[in-house]
Amino acid sequence: MAGQRVHIDQGYSWVVLSAAFGIQFLVGMLVFNVGAMTSAILEEIDSDLTRTSWVGATLNATITLLGPFVGIFNRKFGARATTCLGGLITFGGLTAASFATTVPGLLATYSLLSGCGFALSVNVAGSVPGHYFDKKRPIAFAVSMSGGGCGMFLGAPLIRYLLETYNLSGTILILGALSFHICIAGLIIRPQEYDGAETAKESFEGEQLRSKCVKDQTKLFSSNSSVVHESETKGLMDDEETNIDENDQTEPNRFSKMKIGSKWTTPKSSVQPSDDIDDREHETTGSAHNGKCKLLQTKISVLVRSGFIVYVVSILFWSIGESSLYLHLPNYVASKGSSPSDASTLFTIMGIMNVISKLLAGFAATDPAIGYYLLHMGTLGMGGLITLLFPLMANQFYLQCIYAAIFGLQMGGPNSLLSPITIDLIGLSAIEIGFGMLMFSFGAGFLIGAPLASTIFKLSGVYDYTFVFAGLCMVLSSVCGALLPMFKRRKSAELEMS
């Protein structure tokens, strides 16, 4: 079996981190500046705001709602293949979009096709640093996530210049060429190596050979029903132990996973009874369907008992509140006497503080006295409370700027903790699928939050209640985050008893 992973927290790990930062930078530049593209679409293609707004909305929905599916793809084929494919799809989609002359054509190419490529790339950038960092993992994810904010700021003036010089079609074509650099970042992410100079390919081939031994081994277990029952019970215990002790660096990551068997945990021994052996046993006894159903039930149980579902709900409430705020903030401050340029300044302040917050949270999370969950709960709680108080301080522009700075400083932290918390809850071997589920939760929240906030405004006639609604959602997100340590303590107690 492969030994310990090499280049952890050092050496080539920083090269991989630079690739993840570059992916986030390019995606942030191309996705977060869709507002400027919408203005150009209004001028050159279609003057109907409702139809053109679907271009950006569909793009964001495609990126987020495809999260679980691209997570499965990333886990099966690896980070390098996933990133390169995402870059190629994005390049093809944007190149085709440069020839589109209608909104439906842009929806098919710019939104759907390019969105699929972005979704693949984002999943890699949000998961691959976890395989190369252990002690410095929070800092690594903070640096990676900050790439999106940097791309948004630095990409905005570039896109405005391109639109003024080359119009919409030329701008999209140039952006397509820039997106091809995602493939270059993907090539930098080489497969994980292990001590003894064993490459991921060699490890994978070795696992295939050892799987034959597993098959022979399961025949011995199937000859005795009591032993089989013990194997199934131990498989569940091993699954739980893997999720809890994921920081143990003796196990190989997904770059060297077995081709068959469990997709959620990586076996630590080729002969110990596990979910992989459980699957093989069911197949050899002719009840493969029942075995797969039992395995699926086991995995769902592990997710629920690990608290990850609670974390997904926390992200859902957070995205509902944040989308409501972003949608109505410009109109709300305008109703208080501020100009459109003032509203743009508020978003700029939020963005700058957001990047700073991601980096600060990454460094703070390395302190054991603070931890991931306290940061997640505290930042979301503070963001929710300041949003609840915002209607009381929205009459003056300088107070609006203070709110924007405080809110931006609170909201960046939870972003940089998405992957570290996911790894802590369900394990490093499931980070790709877990991160994809979080992206799906973000997408669902953004789809739900905006219509709910608009309905509240229509019923009340004032924007104040929409911000109260947004603040309450963030507070509920913080409450869900406060429950996460309870699940960790419960899992630790179960492990000690077992």
Side-chain angles (χ1 to χ4, degrees):
M1 169 150 314
Q4 293 184 348
R5 294 175 292 165
V6 300
H7 302 302
I8 298 300
D9 293 317
Q10 61 182 339
Y12 202 80
S13 297
W14 298 103
V15 179
V16 174
L17 179 59
S18 67
F21 177 88
I23 294 171
Q24 291 280 23
F25 180 88
L26 290 170
V27 173
M29 180 179 66
L30 298 171
V31 174
F32 294 152
N33 291 293
V34 70
M37 306 296 293
T38 302
S39 300
I41 295 172
L42 285 170
E43 296 178 1
E44 301 185 29
I45 294 182
D46 195 326
S47 60
D48 187 281
L49 179 60
T50 302
R51 285 196 295 267
T52 57
S53 63
W54 277 102
V55 176
T58 305
L59 175 64
N60 289 320
T62 303
I63 295 173
T64 53
L65 297 181
L66 285 179
F69 305 101
V70 299
I72 295 173
F73 184 92
N74 183 11
R75 174 158 169 74
K76 181 175 180 61
F77 295 101
R80 172 178 285 181
T82 303
T83 306
C84 291
L85 179 62
L88 289 173
I89 294 176
T90 303
F91 171 72
L94 292 177
T95 302
S98 66
F99 298 98
T101 57
T102 62
V103 170
L106 289 174
L107 285 172
T109 55
Y110 185 85
S111 300
L112 293 177
L113 188 57
S114 298
C116 292
F118 286 134
L120 290 167
S121 305
V122 167
N123 188 271
V124 173
S127 61
V128 73
H131 294 286
Y132 289 86
F133 290 89
D134 180 22
K135 296 180 181 179
K136 301 177 182 178
R137 183 175 292 162
I139 300 176
F141 278 112
V143 173
S144 175
M145 290 296 181
S146 64
C150 295
M152 178 177 64
F153 294 122
L154 299 179
L158 173 63
I159 291 178
R160 285 196 296 267
Y161 170 78
L162 292 176
L163 288 172
E164 294 173 358
T165 306
Y166 301 102
N167 296 326
L168 179 63
S169 61
T171 298
I172 295 178
L173 185 63
I174 294 174
L175 293 179
L178 291 176
S179 70
F180 192 74
H181 290 78
I182 294 177
C183 297
I184 299 177
L187 294 175
I188 295 177
I189 305 174
R190 67 188 184 190
Q192 185 71 62
E193 296 180 357
Y194 300 90
D195 58 2
E198 181 179 15
T199 63
K201 181 179 179 180
E202 293 169 345
S203 177
F204 179 73
E205 292 174 349
E207 291 292 352
Q208 284 185 309
L209 294 175
R210 284 187 288 270
S211 66
K212 297 180 180 179
C213 299
V214 174
K215 184 176 180 180
D216 295 335
Q217 193 77 8
T218 55
K219 293 180 180 179
L220 299 176
F221 288 105
S222 62
S223 63
N224 189 314
S225 59
S226 61
V227 177
V228 171
H229 178 73
E230 180 182 355
S231 172
E232 293 174 353
T233 305
K234 184 172 177 55
L236 177 59
M237 291 166 57
D238 289 343
D239 208 346
E240 289 284 331
E241 181 179 356
T242 303
N243 291 331
I244 295 174
D245 298 328
E246 192 58 49
N247 290 331
D248 185 1
Q249 298 300 321
T250 61
E251 63 171 312
N253 64 10
R254 63 182 172 84
F255 291 109
S256 62
K257 63 181 181 297
M258 294 179 66
K259 193 174 183 179
I260 51 92
S262 175
K263 294 296 183 182
W264 290 90
T265 58
T266 307
K268 296 185 179 180
S269 174
S270 61
V271 297
Q272 74 176 40
S274 64
D275 287 338
D276 296 307
I277 297 179
D278 184 64
D279 284 355
R280 287 287 183 173
E281 190 278 333
H282 280 287
E283 291 175 3
T284 55
T285 56
S287 57
H289 177 71
N290 293 334
K292 292 180 180 179
C293 292
K294 184 176 180 62
L295 180 62
L296 179 60
Q297 293 174 358
T298 299
K299 299 308 179 185
I300 294 175
S301 175
V302 170
L303 283 177
V304 174
R305 294 169 66 186
S306 67
F308 182 69
I309 298 300
V310 177
Y311 186 48
V312 171
V313 174
S314 176
I315 298 301
L316 178 64
F317 280 121
W318 172 25
S319 57
I320 290 174
E322 196 172 31
S323 62
S324 304
L325 185 148
Y326 288 151
L327 175 66
H328 291 288
L329 181 61
N331 293 330
Y332 184 48
V333 297
S335 67
K336 299 296 183 179
S338 300
S339 64
S341 61
D342 292 337
S344 178
T345 301
L346 295 179
F347 280 106
T348 301
I349 295 174
M350 284 184 182
I352 295 174
M353 299 305 294
N354 190 279
V355 174
I356 296 175
S357 175
K358 290 177 181 178
L359 297 175
L360 291 178
F363 282 99
T366 59
D367 187 351
I370 299 177
Y372 305 149
Y373 305 109
L374 180 61
L375 281 173
H376 176 78
M377 176 188 66
T379 53
L380 285 175
M382 289 296 297
L385 290 176
I386 193 66
T387 301
L388 287 172
L389 297 175
F390 182 54
L392 302 178
M393 53 190 298
N395 294 320
Q396 300 293 330
F397 178 66
Y398 77 92
L399 293 177
Q400 296 172 6
C401 291
I402 293 176
Y403 166 77
I406 297 176
F407 182 81
L409 190 62
Q410 301 302 321
M411 291 300 102
N415 266 299
S416 64
L417 297 175
L418 290 175
S419 296
I421 290 179
T422 301
I423 293 173
D424 194 50
L425 288 174
I426 62 175
L428 180 60
S429 61
I431 175 59
E432 296 83 13
I433 300 176
F435 187 81
M437 293 179 65
L438 295 183
M439 293 300 295
F440 182 88
S441 183
F442 270 117
F446 273 88
L447 288 177
I448 296 172
L452 283 178
S454 299
T455 301
I456 293 174
F457 171 71
K458 289 181 181 179
L459 294 176
S460 62
V462 292
Y463 285 105
D464 300 66
Y465 295 110
T466 62
F467 282 83
V468 173
F469 168 73
L472 287 176
C473 287
M474 295 179 194
V475 171
L476 287 175
S477 177
S478 176
V479 172
C480 291
L483 299 176
L484 295 177
M486 298 172 56
F487 288 90
K488 293 295 295 182
R489 289 194 294 268
R490 175 184 174 185
K491 287 173 60 181
S492 300
E494 290 177 352
L495 181 62
E496 292 177 358
M497 291 177 62
S498 63

